[in-house]
Each structure stands twice: as C-alpha cells, then as structure tokens.
Amino acid sequence: NLYEERELSNKIYPFKAASKEVVSKLNTPYRKVYPLYHNSPALAAVYLLSSEFKSESLNELSTIKDQIVEINLNKMPLDDKSTSLFQQFKNLEKLYLNTTKISNDGIKNLTKLNNLHSLSITNNKVNKGIESYIGEIKSLKNLFLTNTDIEPKTIEQWRKKYPKINIVYE
C-alpha cells in the first residue's frame, strides 16, 4: 500500500550504500540491480530471462549482500536447494519467488531470514506443510500464496493463528 511504500522510502538503513561502480558491474542483460529508493543505500535485484538464469548468479551479489533488501526471481528456474543461497542476504525484506520450482523444502531454507517481511510464493508446489516454516519467520507481514496446493480452509485457519500476517490467497 501507499503508506507502507512511503514509510519504507524514509527508512534509515544501518548500512552504507554500495558504490555506483560495484552496482553497475553487477548489471547484466539478465539481471538488474538498482537502489530501492532515491538516495537509499538499499538495493533491489531482479532477474529477467529464465533461460539464462543460474542459481549461482545469486553468489555474484555477495559483494552487496548487506545492501540487498529485495530480490525478484519470478519465473526463474530456482529449485529448493538454491534457496539456501538467500541466507547470505541478512537484510532481505522482500522476496518474490512466484512460478519457480520450489516446494516446502525450499521454504524451510528461508526461516533464518530475520528481516523478511514479504514473501510471494504463488504458483508453486507448496502445501500446508509449510506452516511450521511460516511460523518461524518472525518478521513476516505479507504472504502471497495464490495458485498453490493449500486449501482455502487451511488459509482461513492460518489467518486466525497468525493475525499479524496478511495472507493473500485469492
């Protein structure tokens, strides 16, 4: 929502900005790295072409791992094993994994992300077995689960059990 975006644009981050040269070198025709907001040290990375995606390319972002707060891997061939690579991004706040190849095992690898407040895993092979992992992500505020193997009645139970998490299912 607009209020949240405005609040985040004024957020003070506890890290210094990466140099423009470092960020520029990480940009390729298949990946874009950019400041989240004007004059913010926080960076976002978006991957653009699934046929060119290699999960190891996440390690190329290690030089700016403290500054990365958002990663978009929608429609990339990311598998469960590769989700362990996210643990290096200790300031990660938003993670978009829609239409990837992850399952419950991949979500388990995200439980150590202490700043993750938005997780989008629509159109994946996850089921109600992810509940224990979702409960372990203490900072989670938004969870997007459309087009998964989780039944509507389970979503309703989770909404009651985790009232601080906005669960989007429709």
Side-chain angles (χ1 to χ4, degrees), residues 105-123:
D105 290 336
I107 303 304
K108 181 180 181 181
N109 288 328
L110 306 179
T111 59
K112 303 247 186 315
L113 297 174
N114 296 326
N115 291 304
L116 187 66
H117 62 74
S118 186
L119 176 61
S120 191
I121 53 175
T122 66
N123 200 31

PDB file of all heavy atoms in Angstrom, residues 105-123:
ATOM      1  N   ASP A 105      10.382 -27.773   0.944  1.00  0.00           N
ATOM      2  CA  ASP A 105      11.792 -27.818   1.352  1.00  0.00           C
ATOM      3  C   ASP A 105      12.501 -26.494   1.094  1.00  0.00           C
ATOM      4  O   ASP A 105      13.362 -26.082   1.855  1.00  0.00           O
ATOM      5  CB  ASP A 105      12.532 -28.950   0.635  1.00  0.00           C
ATOM      6  CG  ASP A 105      12.093 -30.325   1.111  1.00  0.00           C
ATOM      7  OD1 ASP A 105      11.586 -30.432   2.260  1.00  0.00           O
ATOM      8  OD2 ASP A 105      12.248 -31.290   0.349  1.00  0.00           O
ATOM      9  N   GLY A 106      12.141 -25.822   0.025  1.00  0.00           N
ATOM     10  CA  GLY A 106      12.744 -24.528  -0.280  1.00  0.00           C
ATOM     11  C   GLY A 106      12.343 -23.463   0.715  1.00  0.00           C
ATOM     12  O   GLY A 106      13.152 -22.603   1.081  1.00  0.00           O
ATOM     13  N   ILE A 107      11.118 -23.534   1.203  1.00  0.00           N
ATOM     14  CA  ILE A 107      10.641 -22.557   2.186  1.00  0.00           C
ATOM     15  C   ILE A 107      11.372 -22.750   3.509  1.00  0.00           C
ATOM     16  O   ILE A 107      11.686 -21.778   4.196  1.00  0.00           O
ATOM     17  CB  ILE A 107       9.109 -22.680   2.380  1.00  0.00           C
ATOM     18  CG1 ILE A 107       8.385 -22.514   1.044  1.00  0.00           C
ATOM     19  CG2 ILE A 107       8.613 -21.671   3.402  1.00  0.00           C
ATOM     20  CD1 ILE A 107       8.684 -21.235   0.298  1.00  0.00           C
ATOM     21  N   LYS A 108      11.701 -23.966   3.834  1.00  0.00           N
ATOM     22  CA  LYS A 108      12.436 -24.253   5.078  1.00  0.00           C
ATOM     23  C   LYS A 108      13.735 -23.458   5.127  1.00  0.00           C
ATOM     24  O   LYS A 108      14.132 -22.956   6.179  1.00  0.00           O
ATOM     25  CB  LYS A 108      12.728 -25.751   5.173  1.00  0.00           C
ATOM     26  CG  LYS A 108      13.461 -26.158   6.417  1.00  0.00           C
ATOM     27  CD  LYS A 108      13.710 -27.652   6.433  1.00  0.00           C
ATOM     28  CE  LYS A 108      14.424 -28.052   7.706  1.00  0.00           C
ATOM     29  NZ  LYS A 108      14.695 -29.502   7.735  1.00  0.00           N
ATOM     30  N   ASN A 109      14.398 -23.293   3.992  1.00  0.00           N
ATOM     31  CA  ASN A 109      15.667 -22.557   3.935  1.00  0.00           C
ATOM     32  C   ASN A 109      15.517 -21.059   4.185  1.00  0.00           C
ATOM     33  O   ASN A 109      16.511 -20.363   4.339  1.00  0.00           O
ATOM     34  CB  ASN A 109      16.351 -22.774   2.579  1.00  0.00           C
ATOM     35  CG  ASN A 109      16.913 -24.163   2.434  1.00  0.00           C
ATOM     36  OD1 ASN A 109      17.336 -24.780   3.405  1.00  0.00           O
ATOM     37  ND2 ASN A 109      16.909 -24.674   1.223  1.00  0.00           N
ATOM     38  N   LEU A 110      14.304 -20.562   4.215  1.00  0.00           N
ATOM     39  CA  LEU A 110      14.080 -19.123   4.388  1.00  0.00           C
ATOM     40  C   LEU A 110      13.852 -18.728   5.844  1.00  0.00           C
ATOM     41  O   LEU A 110      13.755 -17.536   6.149  1.00  0.00           O
ATOM     42  CB  LEU A 110      12.873 -18.683   3.545  1.00  0.00           C
ATOM     43  CG  LEU A 110      12.927 -19.030   2.059  1.00  0.00           C
ATOM     44  CD1 LEU A 110      11.659 -18.563   1.358  1.00  0.00           C
ATOM     45  CD2 LEU A 110      14.170 -18.458   1.404  1.00  0.00           C
ATOM     46  N   THR A 111      13.774 -19.686   6.733  1.00  0.00           N
ATOM     47  CA  THR A 111      13.418 -19.389   8.129  1.00  0.00           C
ATOM     48  C   THR A 111      14.472 -18.581   8.867  1.00  0.00           C
ATOM     49  O   THR A 111      14.180 -17.992   9.899  1.00  0.00           O
ATOM     50  CB  THR A 111      13.123 -20.680   8.919  1.00  0.00           C
ATOM     51  OG1 THR A 111      14.277 -21.519   8.883  1.00  0.00           O
ATOM     52  CG2 THR A 111      11.929 -21.414   8.336  1.00  0.00           C
ATOM     53  N   LYS A 112      15.682 -18.523   8.367  1.00  0.00           N
ATOM     54  CA  LYS A 112      16.751 -17.766   9.030  1.00  0.00           C
ATOM     55  C   LYS A 112      16.812 -16.308   8.568  1.00  0.00           C
ATOM     56  O   LYS A 112      17.666 -15.549   8.997  1.00  0.00           O
ATOM     57  CB  LYS A 112      18.100 -18.441   8.777  1.00  0.00           C
ATOM     58  CG  LYS A 112      18.153 -19.882   9.228  1.00  0.00           C
ATOM     59  CD  LYS A 112      19.088 -20.082  10.365  1.00  0.00           C
ATOM     60  CE  LYS A 112      19.312 -21.505  10.795  1.00  0.00           C
ATOM     61  NZ  LYS A 112      18.198 -22.371  10.935  1.00  0.00           N
ATOM     62  N   LEU A 113      15.898 -15.909   7.686  1.00  0.00           N
ATOM     63  CA  LEU A 113      15.872 -14.528   7.193  1.00  0.00           C
ATOM     64  C   LEU A 113      15.100 -13.667   8.191  1.00  0.00           C
ATOM     65  O   LEU A 113      13.881 -13.546   8.125  1.00  0.00           O
ATOM     66  CB  LEU A 113      15.225 -14.479   5.801  1.00  0.00           C
ATOM     67  CG  LEU A 113      15.976 -15.239   4.711  1.00  0.00           C
ATOM     68  CD1 LEU A 113      15.180 -15.257   3.418  1.00  0.00           C
ATOM     69  CD2 LEU A 113      17.356 -14.652   4.482  1.00  0.00           C
ATOM     70  N   ASN A 114      15.824 -13.065   9.115  1.00  0.00           N
ATOM     71  CA  ASN A 114      15.216 -12.353  10.241  1.00  0.00           C
ATOM     72  C   ASN A 114      14.544 -11.032   9.897  1.00  0.00           C
ATOM     73  O   ASN A 114      13.850 -10.463  10.726  1.00  0.00           O
ATOM     74  CB  ASN A 114      16.259 -12.127  11.332  1.00  0.00           C
ATOM     75  CG  ASN A 114      16.748 -13.424  11.921  1.00  0.00           C
ATOM     76  OD1 ASN A 114      15.983 -14.378  12.030  1.00  0.00           O
ATOM     77  ND2 ASN A 114      18.016 -13.471  12.268  1.00  0.00           N
ATOM     78  N   ASN A 115      14.773 -10.517   8.694  1.00  0.00           N
ATOM     79  CA  ASN A 115      14.162  -9.248   8.295  1.00  0.00           C
ATOM     80  C   ASN A 115      13.124  -9.407   7.190  1.00  0.00           C
ATOM     81  O   ASN A 115      12.570  -8.423   6.722  1.00  0.00           O
ATOM     82  CB  ASN A 115      15.242  -8.261   7.837  1.00  0.00           C
ATOM     83  CG  ASN A 115      16.099  -7.807   8.994  1.00  0.00           C
ATOM     84  OD1 ASN A 115      15.584  -7.287   9.971  1.00  0.00           O
ATOM     85  ND2 ASN A 115      17.394  -8.037   8.904  1.00  0.00           N
ATOM     86  N   LEU A 116      12.864 -10.639   6.783  1.00  0.00           N
ATOM     87  CA  LEU A 116      11.930 -10.878   5.694  1.00  0.00           C
ATOM     88  C   LEU A 116      10.512 -10.551   6.133  1.00  0.00           C
ATOM     89  O   LEU A 116       9.988 -11.154   7.054  1.00  0.00           O
ATOM     90  CB  LEU A 116      12.006 -12.340   5.247  1.00  0.00           C
ATOM     91  CG  LEU A 116      11.208 -12.692   3.997  1.00  0.00           C
ATOM     92  CD1 LEU A 116      11.797 -11.981   2.773  1.00  0.00           C
ATOM     93  CD2 LEU A 116      11.211 -14.195   3.770  1.00  0.00           C
ATOM     94  N   HIS A 117       9.900  -9.550   5.492  1.00  0.00           N
ATOM     95  CA  HIS A 117       8.526  -9.213   5.867  1.00  0.00           C
ATOM     96  C   HIS A 117       7.537  -9.453   4.734  1.00  0.00           C
ATOM     97  O   HIS A 117       6.331  -9.401   4.954  1.00  0.00           O
ATOM     98  CB  HIS A 117       8.400  -7.802   6.446  1.00  0.00           C
ATOM     99  CG  HIS A 117       8.770  -6.690   5.528  1.00  0.00           C
ATOM    100  ND1 HIS A 117       7.978  -6.284   4.492  1.00  0.00           N
ATOM    101  CD2 HIS A 117       9.863  -5.899   5.505  1.00  0.00           C
ATOM    102  CE1 HIS A 117       8.559  -5.272   3.864  1.00  0.00           C
ATOM    103  NE2 HIS A 117       9.694  -5.026   4.451  1.00  0.00           N
ATOM    104  N   SER A 118       8.007  -9.755   3.525  1.00  0.00           N
ATOM    105  CA  SER A 118       7.092 -10.034   2.425  1.00  0.00           C
ATOM    106  C   SER A 118       7.646 -11.190   1.591  1.00  0.00           C
ATOM    107  O   SER A 118       8.760 -11.121   1.084  1.00  0.00           O
ATOM    108  CB  SER A 118       6.926  -8.785   1.560  1.00  0.00           C
ATOM    109  OG  SER A 118       5.947  -9.000   0.581  1.00  0.00           O
ATOM    110  N   LEU A 119       6.836 -12.246   1.489  1.00  0.00           N
ATOM    111  CA  LEU A 119       7.228 -13.440   0.742  1.00  0.00           C
ATOM    112  C   LEU A 119       6.116 -13.793  -0.230  1.00  0.00           C
ATOM    113  O   LEU A 119       4.970 -13.994   0.170  1.00  0.00           O
ATOM    114  CB  LEU A 119       7.479 -14.608   1.702  1.00  0.00           C
ATOM    115  CG  LEU A 119       7.809 -15.957   1.065  1.00  0.00           C
ATOM    116  CD1 LEU A 119       9.085 -15.880   0.229  1.00  0.00           C
ATOM    117  CD2 LEU A 119       7.941 -17.027   2.151  1.00  0.00           C
ATOM    118  N   SER A 120       6.472 -13.863  -1.498  1.00  0.00           N
ATOM    119  CA  SER A 120       5.498 -14.189  -2.530  1.00  0.00           C
ATOM    120  C   SER A 120       5.906 -15.500  -3.193  1.00  0.00           C
ATOM    121  O   SER A 120       6.955 -15.575  -3.839  1.00  0.00           O
ATOM    122  CB  SER A 120       5.424 -13.058  -3.555  1.00  0.00           C
ATOM    123  OG  SER A 120       4.332 -13.242  -4.401  1.00  0.00           O
ATOM    124  N   ILE A 121       5.064 -16.525  -2.979  1.00  0.00           N
ATOM    125  CA  ILE A 121       5.371 -17.864  -3.496  1.00  0.00           C
ATOM    126  C   ILE A 121       4.181 -18.433  -4.274  1.00  0.00           C
ATOM    127  O   ILE A 121       3.903 -19.627  -4.229  1.00  0.00           O
ATOM    128  CB  ILE A 121       5.813 -18.817  -2.364  1.00  0.00           C
ATOM    129  CG1 ILE A 121       4.803 -18.834  -1.221  1.00  0.00           C
ATOM    130  CG2 ILE A 121       7.198 -18.446  -1.871  1.00  0.00           C
ATOM    131  CD1 ILE A 121       5.118 -19.850  -0.124  1.00  0.00           C
ATOM    132  N   THR A 122       3.480 -17.581  -4.983  1.00  0.00           N
ATOM    133  CA  THR A 122       2.335 -18.039  -5.760  1.00  0.00           C
ATOM    134  C   THR A 122       2.783 -18.958  -6.892  1.00  0.00           C
ATOM    135  O   THR A 122       3.929 -18.887  -7.351  1.00  0.00           O
ATOM    136  CB  THR A 122       1.538 -16.862  -6.358  1.00  0.00           C
ATOM    137  OG1 THR A 122       2.335 -16.184  -7.305  1.00  0.00           O
ATOM    138  CG2 THR A 122       1.105 -15.890  -5.278  1.00  0.00           C
ATOM    139  N   ASN A 123       1.859 -19.822  -7.295  1.00  0.00           N
ATOM    140  CA  ASN A 123       2.094 -20.731  -8.419  1.00  0.00           C
ATOM    141  C   ASN A 123       3.322 -21.616  -8.203  1.00  0.00           C
ATOM    142  O   ASN A 123       4.180 -21.736  -9.074  1.00  0.00           O
ATOM    143  CB  ASN A 123       2.205 -19.945  -9.729  1.00  0.00           C
ATOM    144  CG  ASN A 123       1.958 -20.814 -10.936  1.00  0.00           C
ATOM    145  OD1 ASN A 123       1.197 -21.782 -10.875  1.00  0.00           O
ATOM    146  ND2 ASN A 123       2.602 -20.489 -12.037  1.00  0.00           N
TER     147      ASN A 123
END
